[in-house]
Amino acid sequence: MSQQPTSNAANTAGVVSTNFIRNLIEADLAAGKHAARKWSGRPGPGPQQLAGTLDPARIRTRFPPEPNGYLHFGHAKSICLNFGLAQEYGGRCHLRFDDTNPEKEEQEYVDSIIDSVRWLGFSWEGPLADASAASETNLYYASDYFAWMIEFAEYLISSGHAYVDSQSADEMRASRGTLTNAGCDSPFRARSVAENMDLFKRMQQGEFPDGAHVLRARIDMAAANINLRDPAIYRIRHASHHNTGDRWCVYPMYTYAHPIEDALENISHSICTLEFADQRPFYDWLLERLAEGGLLQRPLPQQIEFSRLNLSYIVLSKRKLIQLVEERHVAGWDDPRLPTLVGARRRGYPAEGFRLFAERVGVSRSDSLIDYSLLEDSMREVLNASAERRVAVLDPLKLIIDNYPAGDSEDCFAPKHPLKPEAGTRAMPFARELWIEREDFMAEPSKGYHRLYPGNMARLRYAYVVRCTGFDRDDSGAVVAVHCDYLADSKSGSAGADSYKVKGNLHWLSVADACLAEVRLYDRLFAVPSPGARREGDPEGSERDFRADLNPDSMRVIRAWVEPALRNVEPEQCFQFERHGYFVADRVDSRVGAPVFNRTVTLRDSWSARPGQRK
């Protein structure tokens, strides 16, 4: 059964809706805010950039993941936003790894992130109109800037804007104050510039153990924004780094490193999610202090916050995703039920579907919960336009055409794609014994049932009209075969086909020719819209274990029959199995001659209509 599109996926994806970030960028471009920026062709401090030429990119954005895990659906929204804006306004988007925490970062994650961004259809190496910029790769690592970050930290010390604190972590926490009470100064806040510089250099040389000292910005311990109460900017970590090895034993805090990375890379619009809004005052404070010292060029990067992606029926917390993997509730980071991009790709979600979804959900400053069906609808729309059709019988029942000659066969022809006549047709072998879906026969039909039952006629799709003459049961009483006669002048496409008016239309496969395949029927990983959310009747203030909301039917593995041509399917080929939904040949387990298919999404959303689903 072909699903008719509600709209054209390609056209819908091309319709760009406005939002506050686009409005801001357009206002900056109209005012020429960034027109005088210089760019040397590679990241660096102000003096290096000012020696360069005018930046050929009208804007520069960045996607800055930490390489400590696999990307998830929320990252897809950020990728589409940052890379999409750069493409739209003649700019560049940098892929930058914020690798400032050596204890949690691995090359495995770096490789996966690179692969996922490319899979989504974006490049950090895309050409600009200015040929002089053609050599830009725009793939960067925060760890490449560690030497400059040290230089900038020493400038902050020398200018009185930073000091070494020797309190313990608990003492610092206690002196920080609360949202309603000011903090109090560290007893080490009054150290001299010389003493602070000496201690910081000795920290770099590995003289002290982890936690002995931290370098803090000197701002205001009474600030209303708690993030301005002398935040830590460097800590001691005797740990090997995936990129720099054992070169460093002090590492910058993320909140210190990130704005510097943006400035070194000439980022014009630093787009992040709302949880960083409270950090923006420190972002601006730090860049202003460094620009005052001539270390950065103006205009400085501007941080802009938008609401993160919140989807029903999934969790995007890195801690919870790790828990699901480590406790084996899923089969790994690429499990098709997990909301990671590697899992989505294995499930068959098309990259274009994520781009369409990102445009549809839009960008705002308000948090909201988006129903998962909107993501599924985006995937359906793209797959409906792109996936060729095939037949699969998932719950087989044998149909025997008693008046069709034994040993004979013929080809029936079905369109490869009903919306693309130019794609042509495919041959389906027809013979005396066929597989049909078990639900297409009832010994005692219910009211309104129009498929096969004794005495009734139905059409075998792309083939003949048949009349049911009887059925066989086994010793337990289960139906094991259905018998019928075919009407020889009723073949689809023949002159006599239209003379038979029947309501039932059945899918089928030749028993002799069908290919046996493993089919994995995936569903939503959680059975409720907000996993772990408190429910009516739960004690006030209590927290539910999100794992209690796992859907026990999120995966079902069956053996099914598919068209013979699918025996040699290549991994990651997508199809609509007529009537059943969209399926993909598993990119890991599927082999030529032994296909494995994952259900990507059903033909239409039936989740809300399922009896017994918890709300």
PDB file of all heavy atoms in Angstrom, residues 70 72-73 314-315 320-322 324-325 329-345 347 349 372 522-523 525-526:
ATOM      1  N   TYR A  70      28.640   9.925  22.144  1.00  0.00           N
ATOM      2  CA  TYR A  70      28.086   9.911  20.792  1.00  0.00           C
ATOM      3  C   TYR A  70      27.026  11.003  20.656  1.00  0.00           C
ATOM      4  O   TYR A  70      26.303  11.316  21.606  1.00  0.00           O
ATOM      5  CB  TYR A  70      27.471   8.546  20.484  1.00  0.00           C
ATOM      6  CG  TYR A  70      28.509   7.462  20.283  1.00  0.00           C
ATOM      7  CD1 TYR A  70      29.038   6.770  21.369  1.00  0.00           C
ATOM      8  CD2 TYR A  70      28.965   7.148  19.007  1.00  0.00           C
ATOM      9  CE1 TYR A  70      30.005   5.792  21.193  1.00  0.00           C
ATOM     10  CE2 TYR A  70      29.922   6.160  18.818  1.00  0.00           C
ATOM     11  CZ  TYR A  70      30.437   5.491  19.917  1.00  0.00           C
ATOM     12  OH  TYR A  70      31.395   4.525  19.738  1.00  0.00           O
ATOM     13  N   HIS A  72      23.577  12.905  19.787  1.00  0.00           N
ATOM     14  CA  HIS A  72      22.181  12.479  19.847  1.00  0.00           C
ATOM     15  C   HIS A  72      21.299  13.430  19.039  1.00  0.00           C
ATOM     16  O   HIS A  72      21.799  14.331  18.347  1.00  0.00           O
ATOM     17  CB  HIS A  72      21.712  12.354  21.302  1.00  0.00           C
ATOM     18  CG  HIS A  72      21.881  13.596  22.138  1.00  0.00           C
ATOM     19  ND1 HIS A  72      21.290  14.801  21.827  1.00  0.00           N
ATOM     20  CD2 HIS A  72      22.579  13.812  23.288  1.00  0.00           C
ATOM     21  CE1 HIS A  72      21.589  15.703  22.729  1.00  0.00           C
ATOM     22  NE2 HIS A  72      22.386  15.145  23.630  1.00  0.00           N
ATOM     23  N   PHE A  73      19.974  13.226  19.125  1.00  0.00           N
ATOM     24  CA  PHE A  73      19.042  13.980  18.295  1.00  0.00           C
ATOM     25  C   PHE A  73      19.131  15.481  18.561  1.00  0.00           C
ATOM     26  O   PHE A  73      18.921  16.296  17.651  1.00  0.00           O
ATOM     27  CB  PHE A  73      17.604  13.505  18.546  1.00  0.00           C
ATOM     28  CG  PHE A  73      17.310  12.115  18.043  1.00  0.00           C
ATOM     29  CD1 PHE A  73      18.293  11.333  17.442  1.00  0.00           C
ATOM     30  CD2 PHE A  73      16.040  11.564  18.179  1.00  0.00           C
ATOM     31  CE1 PHE A  73      18.022  10.057  16.982  1.00  0.00           C
ATOM     32  CE2 PHE A  73      15.753  10.291  17.720  1.00  0.00           C
ATOM     33  CZ  PHE A  73      16.745   9.535  17.125  1.00  0.00           C
ATOM     34  N   ILE A 314      11.676   9.875  24.693  1.00  0.00           N
ATOM     35  CA  ILE A 314      13.108   9.574  24.692  1.00  0.00           C
ATOM     36  C   ILE A 314      13.777  10.307  25.843  1.00  0.00           C
ATOM     37  O   ILE A 314      13.182  11.188  26.474  1.00  0.00           O
ATOM     38  CB  ILE A 314      13.804   9.969  23.369  1.00  0.00           C
ATOM     39  CG1 ILE A 314      13.764  11.492  23.170  1.00  0.00           C
ATOM     40  CG2 ILE A 314      13.197   9.241  22.193  1.00  0.00           C
ATOM     41  CD1 ILE A 314      14.610  11.946  21.997  1.00  0.00           C
ATOM     42  N   VAL A 315      15.023   9.954  26.130  1.00  0.00           N
ATOM     43  CA  VAL A 315      15.875  10.714  27.050  1.00  0.00           C
ATOM     44  C   VAL A 315      17.118  11.138  26.275  1.00  0.00           C
ATOM     45  O   VAL A 315      17.630  10.388  25.445  1.00  0.00           O
ATOM     46  CB  VAL A 315      16.260   9.905  28.301  1.00  0.00           C
ATOM     47  CG1 VAL A 315      15.036   9.599  29.152  1.00  0.00           C
ATOM     48  CG2 VAL A 315      16.986   8.607  27.926  1.00  0.00           C
ATOM     49  N   LYS A 320      21.978   9.358  31.405  1.00  0.00           N
ATOM     50  CA  LYS A 320      20.969   8.314  31.234  1.00  0.00           C
ATOM     51  C   LYS A 320      21.263   7.438  30.020  1.00  0.00           C
ATOM     52  O   LYS A 320      21.036   6.224  30.051  1.00  0.00           O
ATOM     53  CB  LYS A 320      19.582   8.950  31.123  1.00  0.00           C
ATOM     54  CG  LYS A 320      19.112   9.587  32.424  1.00  0.00           C
ATOM     55  CD  LYS A 320      17.750  10.246  32.272  1.00  0.00           C
ATOM     56  CE  LYS A 320      17.287  10.861  33.597  1.00  0.00           C
ATOM     57  NZ  LYS A 320      15.978  11.531  33.475  1.00  0.00           N
ATOM     58  N   LEU A 321      21.771   8.041  28.961  1.00  0.00           N
ATOM     59  CA  LEU A 321      22.122   7.244  27.783  1.00  0.00           C
ATOM     60  C   LEU A 321      23.239   6.266  28.117  1.00  0.00           C
ATOM     61  O   LEU A 321      23.212   5.095  27.705  1.00  0.00           O
ATOM     62  CB  LEU A 321      22.538   8.159  26.632  1.00  0.00           C
ATOM     63  CG  LEU A 321      21.431   9.035  26.036  1.00  0.00           C
ATOM     64  CD1 LEU A 321      22.012   9.968  24.967  1.00  0.00           C
ATOM     65  CD2 LEU A 321      20.317   8.190  25.439  1.00  0.00           C
ATOM     66  N   ILE A 322      24.237   6.731  28.870  1.00  0.00           N
ATOM     67  CA  ILE A 322      25.332   5.847  29.295  1.00  0.00           C
ATOM     68  C   ILE A 322      24.777   4.699  30.130  1.00  0.00           C
ATOM     69  O   ILE A 322      25.178   3.538  29.972  1.00  0.00           O
ATOM     70  CB  ILE A 322      26.392   6.644  30.072  1.00  0.00           C
ATOM     71  CG1 ILE A 322      27.138   7.587  29.129  1.00  0.00           C
ATOM     72  CG2 ILE A 322      27.371   5.706  30.775  1.00  0.00           C
ATOM     73  CD1 ILE A 322      28.078   8.549  29.833  1.00  0.00           C
ATOM     74  N   LEU A 324      21.779   3.383  30.029  1.00  0.00           N
ATOM     75  CA  LEU A 324      21.065   2.437  29.172  1.00  0.00           C
ATOM     76  C   LEU A 324      22.024   1.499  28.454  1.00  0.00           C
ATOM     77  O   LEU A 324      21.754   0.304  28.309  1.00  0.00           O
ATOM     78  CB  LEU A 324      20.224   3.196  28.147  1.00  0.00           C
ATOM     79  CG  LEU A 324      18.999   3.953  28.685  1.00  0.00           C
ATOM     80  CD1 LEU A 324      18.380   4.801  27.579  1.00  0.00           C
ATOM     81  CD2 LEU A 324      17.961   2.980  29.244  1.00  0.00           C
ATOM     82  N   VAL A 325      23.162   2.042  28.011  1.00  0.00           N
ATOM     83  CA  VAL A 325      24.143   1.225  27.290  1.00  0.00           C
ATOM     84  C   VAL A 325      24.882   0.290  28.243  1.00  0.00           C
ATOM     85  O   VAL A 325      24.983  -0.922  27.994  1.00  0.00           O
ATOM     86  CB  VAL A 325      25.136   2.120  26.535  1.00  0.00           C
ATOM     87  CG1 VAL A 325      26.260   1.290  25.934  1.00  0.00           C
ATOM     88  CG2 VAL A 325      24.426   2.905  25.435  1.00  0.00           C
ATOM     89  N   HIS A 329      20.345  -2.303  28.545  1.00  0.00           N
ATOM     90  CA  HIS A 329      18.949  -2.161  28.166  1.00  0.00           C
ATOM     91  C   HIS A 329      18.829  -2.023  26.647  1.00  0.00           C
ATOM     92  O   HIS A 329      17.756  -2.246  26.087  1.00  0.00           O
ATOM     93  CB  HIS A 329      18.338  -0.933  28.844  1.00  0.00           C
ATOM     94  CG  HIS A 329      18.345  -1.010  30.346  1.00  0.00           C
ATOM     95  ND1 HIS A 329      17.523  -1.868  31.050  1.00  0.00           N
ATOM     96  CD2 HIS A 329      19.096  -0.364  31.275  1.00  0.00           C
ATOM     97  CE1 HIS A 329      17.753  -1.732  32.338  1.00  0.00           C
ATOM     98  NE2 HIS A 329      18.695  -0.827  32.506  1.00  0.00           N
ATOM     99  N   VAL A 330      19.921  -1.643  26.016  1.00  0.00           N
ATOM    100  CA  VAL A 330      20.029  -1.586  24.558  1.00  0.00           C
ATOM    101  C   VAL A 330      21.308  -2.309  24.172  1.00  0.00           C
ATOM    102  O   VAL A 330      22.136  -2.638  25.026  1.00  0.00           O
ATOM    103  CB  VAL A 330      20.043  -0.125  24.047  1.00  0.00           C
ATOM    104  CG1 VAL A 330      18.696   0.541  24.283  1.00  0.00           C
ATOM    105  CG2 VAL A 330      21.170   0.674  24.697  1.00  0.00           C
ATOM    106  N   ALA A 331      21.476  -2.546  22.885  1.00  0.00           N
ATOM    107  CA  ALA A 331      22.587  -3.384  22.416  1.00  0.00           C
ATOM    108  C   ALA A 331      23.862  -2.595  22.127  1.00  0.00           C
ATOM    109  O   ALA A 331      24.799  -3.148  21.577  1.00  0.00           O
ATOM    110  CB  ALA A 331      22.164  -4.156  21.176  1.00  0.00           C
ATOM    111  N   GLY A 332      23.902  -1.312  22.466  1.00  0.00           N
ATOM    112  CA  GLY A 332      25.095  -0.509  22.204  1.00  0.00           C
ATOM    113  C   GLY A 332      24.702   0.889  21.768  1.00  0.00           C
ATOM    114  O   GLY A 332      23.512   1.227  21.642  1.00  0.00           O
ATOM    115  N   TRP A 333      25.711   1.722  21.522  1.00  0.00           N
ATOM    116  CA  TRP A 333      25.456   3.112  21.165  1.00  0.00           C
ATOM    117  C   TRP A 333      24.746   3.252  19.813  1.00  0.00           C
ATOM    118  O   TRP A 333      24.107   4.273  19.552  1.00  0.00           O
ATOM    119  CB  TRP A 333      26.773   3.891  21.139  1.00  0.00           C
ATOM    120  CG  TRP A 333      27.285   4.181  22.514  1.00  0.00           C
ATOM    121  CD1 TRP A 333      28.302   3.545  23.170  1.00  0.00           C
ATOM    122  CD2 TRP A 333      26.789   5.167  23.429  1.00  0.00           C
ATOM    123  NE1 TRP A 333      28.467   4.072  24.430  1.00  0.00           N
ATOM    124  CE2 TRP A 333      27.561   5.074  24.609  1.00  0.00           C
ATOM    125  CE3 TRP A 333      25.778   6.120  23.365  1.00  0.00           C
ATOM    126  CZ2 TRP A 333      27.348   5.897  25.713  1.00  0.00           C
ATOM    127  CZ3 TRP A 333      25.558   6.945  24.462  1.00  0.00           C
ATOM    128  CH2 TRP A 333      26.334   6.830  25.618  1.00  0.00           C
ATOM    129  N   ASP A 334      24.863   2.230  18.969  1.00  0.00           N
ATOM    130  CA  ASP A 334      24.187   2.302  17.673  1.00  0.00           C
ATOM    131  C   ASP A 334      22.913   1.464  17.641  1.00  0.00           C
ATOM    132  O   ASP A 334      22.403   1.149  16.569  1.00  0.00           O
ATOM    133  CB  ASP A 334      25.126   1.883  16.546  1.00  0.00           C
ATOM    134  CG  ASP A 334      25.540   0.413  16.626  1.00  0.00           C
ATOM    135  OD1 ASP A 334      25.334  -0.211  17.692  1.00  0.00           O
ATOM    136  OD2 ASP A 334      26.084  -0.103  15.634  1.00  0.00           O
ATOM    137  N   ASP A 335      22.390   1.106  18.806  1.00  0.00           N
ATOM    138  CA  ASP A 335      21.106   0.410  18.846  1.00  0.00           C
ATOM    139  C   ASP A 335      20.055   1.309  18.188  1.00  0.00           C
ATOM    140  O   ASP A 335      19.930   2.484  18.527  1.00  0.00           O
ATOM    141  CB  ASP A 335      20.721   0.116  20.299  1.00  0.00           C
ATOM    142  CG  ASP A 335      19.497  -0.797  20.413  1.00  0.00           C
ATOM    143  OD1 ASP A 335      18.427  -0.412  19.889  1.00  0.00           O
ATOM    144  OD2 ASP A 335      19.612  -1.865  21.020  1.00  0.00           O
ATOM    145  N   PRO A 336      19.281   0.772  17.244  1.00  0.00           N
ATOM    146  CA  PRO A 336      18.303   1.606  16.532  1.00  0.00           C
ATOM    147  C   PRO A 336      17.223   2.229  17.411  1.00  0.00           C
ATOM    148  O   PRO A 336      16.506   3.114  16.962  1.00  0.00           O
ATOM    149  CB  PRO A 336      17.693   0.632  15.514  1.00  0.00           C
ATOM    150  CG  PRO A 336      18.765  -0.368  15.262  1.00  0.00           C
ATOM    151  CD  PRO A 336      19.413  -0.555  16.605  1.00  0.00           C
ATOM    152  N   ARG A 337      17.091   1.773  18.646  1.00  0.00           N
ATOM    153  CA  ARG A 337      16.100   2.373  19.544  1.00  0.00           C
ATOM    154  C   ARG A 337      16.661   3.570  20.303  1.00  0.00           C
ATOM    155  O   ARG A 337      15.903   4.355  20.876  1.00  0.00           O
ATOM    156  CB  ARG A 337      15.615   1.325  20.557  1.00  0.00           C
ATOM    157  CG  ARG A 337      14.879   0.165  19.940  1.00  0.00           C
ATOM    158  CD  ARG A 337      14.731  -0.977  20.940  1.00  0.00           C
ATOM    159  NE  ARG A 337      16.026  -1.580  21.256  1.00  0.00           N
ATOM    160  CZ  ARG A 337      16.205  -2.549  22.147  1.00  0.00           C
ATOM    161  NH1 ARG A 337      15.159  -3.008  22.820  1.00  0.00           N
ATOM    162  NH2 ARG A 337      17.402  -3.053  22.359  1.00  0.00           N
ATOM    163  N   LEU A 338      17.971   3.714  20.321  1.00  0.00           N
ATOM    164  CA  LEU A 338      18.608   4.769  21.102  1.00  0.00           C
ATOM    165  C   LEU A 338      18.610   6.072  20.294  1.00  0.00           C
ATOM    166  O   LEU A 338      18.851   6.051  19.089  1.00  0.00           O
ATOM    167  CB  LEU A 338      20.049   4.351  21.426  1.00  0.00           C
ATOM    168  CG  LEU A 338      20.686   4.924  22.695  1.00  0.00           C
ATOM    169  CD1 LEU A 338      19.903   4.501  23.928  1.00  0.00           C
ATOM    170  CD2 LEU A 338      22.135   4.465  22.804  1.00  0.00           C
ATOM    171  N   PRO A 339      18.360   7.231  20.935  1.00  0.00           N
ATOM    172  CA  PRO A 339      18.292   8.496  20.184  1.00  0.00           C
ATOM    173  C   PRO A 339      19.661   9.094  19.891  1.00  0.00           C
ATOM    174  O   PRO A 339      19.874  10.296  20.037  1.00  0.00           O
ATOM    175  CB  PRO A 339      17.468   9.400  21.113  1.00  0.00           C
ATOM    176  CG  PRO A 339      17.804   8.922  22.481  1.00  0.00           C
ATOM    177  CD  PRO A 339      17.959   7.418  22.350  1.00  0.00           C
ATOM    178  N   THR A 340      20.602   8.237  19.482  1.00  0.00           N
ATOM    179  CA  THR A 340      21.897   8.704  19.009  1.00  0.00           C
ATOM    180  C   THR A 340      21.855   8.772  17.488  1.00  0.00           C
ATOM    181  O   THR A 340      21.043   8.087  16.846  1.00  0.00           O
ATOM    182  CB  THR A 340      23.014   7.747  19.437  1.00  0.00           C
ATOM    183  OG1 THR A 340      22.704   6.423  18.965  1.00  0.00           O
ATOM    184  CG2 THR A 340      23.173   7.714  20.955  1.00  0.00           C
ATOM    185  N   LEU A 341      22.740   9.563  16.896  1.00  0.00           N
ATOM    186  CA  LEU A 341      22.752   9.649  15.434  1.00  0.00           C
ATOM    187  C   LEU A 341      23.237   8.350  14.809  1.00  0.00           C
ATOM    188  O   LEU A 341      22.776   7.971  13.730  1.00  0.00           O
ATOM    189  CB  LEU A 341      23.602  10.836  14.989  1.00  0.00           C
ATOM    190  CG  LEU A 341      23.043  12.211  15.371  1.00  0.00           C
ATOM    191  CD1 LEU A 341      23.839  13.323  14.708  1.00  0.00           C
ATOM    192  CD2 LEU A 341      21.566  12.340  15.018  1.00  0.00           C
ATOM    193  N   VAL A 342      24.159   7.650  15.484  1.00  0.00           N
ATOM    194  CA  VAL A 342      24.585   6.351  14.938  1.00  0.00           C
ATOM    195  C   VAL A 342      23.440   5.347  15.028  1.00  0.00           C
ATOM    196  O   VAL A 342      23.274   4.491  14.152  1.00  0.00           O
ATOM    197  CB  VAL A 342      25.848   5.823  15.653  1.00  0.00           C
ATOM    198  CG1 VAL A 342      27.065   6.637  15.269  1.00  0.00           C
ATOM    199  CG2 VAL A 342      25.674   5.789  17.172  1.00  0.00           C
ATOM    200  N   GLY A 343      22.619   5.439  16.079  1.00  0.00           N
ATOM    201  CA  GLY A 343      21.451   4.577  16.180  1.00  0.00           C
ATOM    202  C   GLY A 343      20.397   4.922  15.148  1.00  0.00           C
ATOM    203  O   GLY A 343      19.779   4.044  14.542  1.00  0.00           O
ATOM    204  N   ALA A 344      20.189   6.235  14.926  1.00  0.00           N
ATOM    205  CA  ALA A 344      19.207   6.676  13.938  1.00  0.00           C
ATOM    206  C   ALA A 344      19.598   6.236  12.543  1.00  0.00           C
ATOM    207  O   ALA A 344      18.754   5.804  11.751  1.00  0.00           O
ATOM    208  CB  ALA A 344      19.080   8.194  13.990  1.00  0.00           C
ATOM    209  N   ARG A 345      20.879   6.337  12.244  1.00  0.00           N
ATOM    210  CA  ARG A 345      21.341   5.916  10.914  1.00  0.00           C
ATOM    211  C   ARG A 345      21.116   4.420  10.731  1.00  0.00           C
ATOM    212  O   ARG A 345      20.668   3.966   9.670  1.00  0.00           O
ATOM    213  CB  ARG A 345      22.825   6.260  10.753  1.00  0.00           C
ATOM    214  CG  ARG A 345      23.379   5.862   9.392  1.00  0.00           C
ATOM    215  CD  ARG A 345      24.809   6.331   9.238  1.00  0.00           C
ATOM    216  NE  ARG A 345      25.352   5.931   7.945  1.00  0.00           N
ATOM    217  CZ  ARG A 345      26.579   6.231   7.519  1.00  0.00           C
ATOM    218  NH1 ARG A 345      27.379   6.959   8.278  1.00  0.00           N
ATOM    219  NH2 ARG A 345      26.994   5.820   6.332  1.00  0.00           N
ATOM    220  N   ARG A 347      18.889   2.650  12.163  1.00  0.00           N
ATOM    221  CA  ARG A 347      17.451   2.402  12.074  1.00  0.00           C
ATOM    222  C   ARG A 347      16.903   2.753  10.703  1.00  0.00           C
ATOM    223  O   ARG A 347      15.809   2.306  10.327  1.00  0.00           O
ATOM    224  CB  ARG A 347      16.723   3.202  13.154  1.00  0.00           C
ATOM    225  CG  ARG A 347      15.230   2.919  13.207  1.00  0.00           C
ATOM    226  CD  ARG A 347      14.648   3.342  14.517  1.00  0.00           C
ATOM    227  NE  ARG A 347      13.212   3.103  14.586  1.00  0.00           N
ATOM    228  CZ  ARG A 347      12.506   3.085  15.701  1.00  0.00           C
ATOM    229  NH1 ARG A 347      13.112   3.286  16.851  1.00  0.00           N
ATOM    230  NH2 ARG A 347      11.212   2.876  15.677  1.00  0.00           N
ATOM    231  N   TYR A 349      16.708   6.117   9.618  1.00  0.00           N
ATOM    232  CA  TYR A 349      16.271   7.509   9.540  1.00  0.00           C
ATOM    233  C   TYR A 349      17.148   8.234   8.523  1.00  0.00           C
ATOM    234  O   TYR A 349      18.367   8.254   8.651  1.00  0.00           O
ATOM    235  CB  TYR A 349      16.412   8.201  10.892  1.00  0.00           C
ATOM    236  CG  TYR A 349      15.339   7.863  11.905  1.00  0.00           C
ATOM    237  CD1 TYR A 349      15.394   8.392  13.192  1.00  0.00           C
ATOM    238  CD2 TYR A 349      14.265   7.037  11.596  1.00  0.00           C
ATOM    239  CE1 TYR A 349      14.419   8.112  14.134  1.00  0.00           C
ATOM    240  CE2 TYR A 349      13.290   6.747  12.527  1.00  0.00           C
ATOM    241  CZ  TYR A 349      13.375   7.281  13.809  1.00  0.00           C
ATOM    242  OH  TYR A 349      12.405   6.991  14.738  1.00  0.00           O
ATOM    243  N   TYR A 372       7.142  13.158  19.605  1.00  0.00           N
ATOM    244  CA  TYR A 372       8.021  12.335  18.767  1.00  0.00           C
ATOM    245  C   TYR A 372       7.429  12.082  17.388  1.00  0.00           C
ATOM    246  O   TYR A 372       8.157  11.864  16.420  1.00  0.00           O
ATOM    247  CB  TYR A 372       8.285  11.002  19.472  1.00  0.00           C
ATOM    248  CG  TYR A 372       9.468  10.243  18.919  1.00  0.00           C
ATOM    249  CD1 TYR A 372      10.759  10.522  19.353  1.00  0.00           C
ATOM    250  CD2 TYR A 372       9.299   9.248  17.966  1.00  0.00           C
ATOM    251  CE1 TYR A 372      11.849   9.832  18.854  1.00  0.00           C
ATOM    252  CE2 TYR A 372      10.386   8.554  17.451  1.00  0.00           C
ATOM    253  CZ  TYR A 372      11.647   8.851  17.902  1.00  0.00           C
ATOM    254  OH  TYR A 372      12.742   8.178  17.391  1.00  0.00           O
ATOM    255  N   TYR A 522      11.183  -2.479  15.301  1.00  0.00           N
ATOM    256  CA  TYR A 522      11.523  -1.533  16.365  1.00  0.00           C
ATOM    257  C   TYR A 522      10.353  -0.604  16.646  1.00  0.00           C
ATOM    258  O   TYR A 522       9.601  -0.214  15.753  1.00  0.00           O
ATOM    259  CB  TYR A 522      12.742  -0.706  15.963  1.00  0.00           C
ATOM    260  CG  TYR A 522      14.021  -1.499  15.969  1.00  0.00           C
ATOM    261  CD1 TYR A 522      14.648  -1.846  14.778  1.00  0.00           C
ATOM    262  CD2 TYR A 522      14.597  -1.906  17.170  1.00  0.00           C
ATOM    263  CE1 TYR A 522      15.825  -2.586  14.784  1.00  0.00           C
ATOM    264  CE2 TYR A 522      15.770  -2.645  17.174  1.00  0.00           C
ATOM    265  CZ  TYR A 522      16.386  -2.980  15.987  1.00  0.00           C
ATOM    266  OH  TYR A 522      17.544  -3.713  15.994  1.00  0.00           O
ATOM    267  N   ASP A 523      10.230  -0.250  17.914  1.00  0.00           N
ATOM    268  CA  ASP A 523       9.222   0.700  18.343  1.00  0.00           C
ATOM    269  C   ASP A 523       9.891   1.688  19.291  1.00  0.00           C
ATOM    270  O   ASP A 523      11.113   1.658  19.483  1.00  0.00           O
ATOM    271  CB  ASP A 523       8.065  -0.032  19.040  1.00  0.00           C
ATOM    272  CG  ASP A 523       6.737   0.649  18.800  1.00  0.00           C
ATOM    273  OD1 ASP A 523       6.715   1.889  18.713  1.00  0.00           O
ATOM    274  OD2 ASP A 523       5.721  -0.058  18.715  1.00  0.00           O
ATOM    275  N   LEU A 525      11.418   3.394  22.483  1.00  0.00           N
ATOM    276  CA  LEU A 525      12.154   2.777  23.581  1.00  0.00           C
ATOM    277  C   LEU A 525      11.411   2.921  24.900  1.00  0.00           C
ATOM    278  O   LEU A 525      11.524   2.064  25.776  1.00  0.00           O
ATOM    279  CB  LEU A 525      13.549   3.399  23.675  1.00  0.00           C
ATOM    280  CG  LEU A 525      14.491   2.828  24.728  1.00  0.00           C
ATOM    281  CD1 LEU A 525      14.711   1.334  24.509  1.00  0.00           C
ATOM    282  CD2 LEU A 525      15.824   3.574  24.695  1.00  0.00           C
ATOM    283  N   PHE A 526      10.649   4.009  25.050  1.00  0.00           N
ATOM    284  CA  PHE A 526       9.911   4.232  26.292  1.00  0.00           C
ATOM    285  C   PHE A 526       8.408   4.218  26.024  1.00  0.00           C
ATOM    286  O   PHE A 526       7.952   4.593  24.938  1.00  0.00           O
ATOM    287  CB  PHE A 526      10.323   5.561  26.931  1.00  0.00           C
ATOM    288  CG  PHE A 526      11.721   5.538  27.488  1.00  0.00           C
ATOM    289  CD1 PHE A 526      12.789   5.977  26.723  1.00  0.00           C
ATOM    290  CD2 PHE A 526      11.967   5.056  28.772  1.00  0.00           C
ATOM    291  CE1 PHE A 526      14.075   5.941  27.223  1.00  0.00           C
ATOM    292  CE2 PHE A 526      13.248   5.016  29.273  1.00  0.00           C
ATOM    293  CZ  PHE A 526      14.312   5.458  28.505  1.00  0.00           C
TER     294      PHE A 526
END
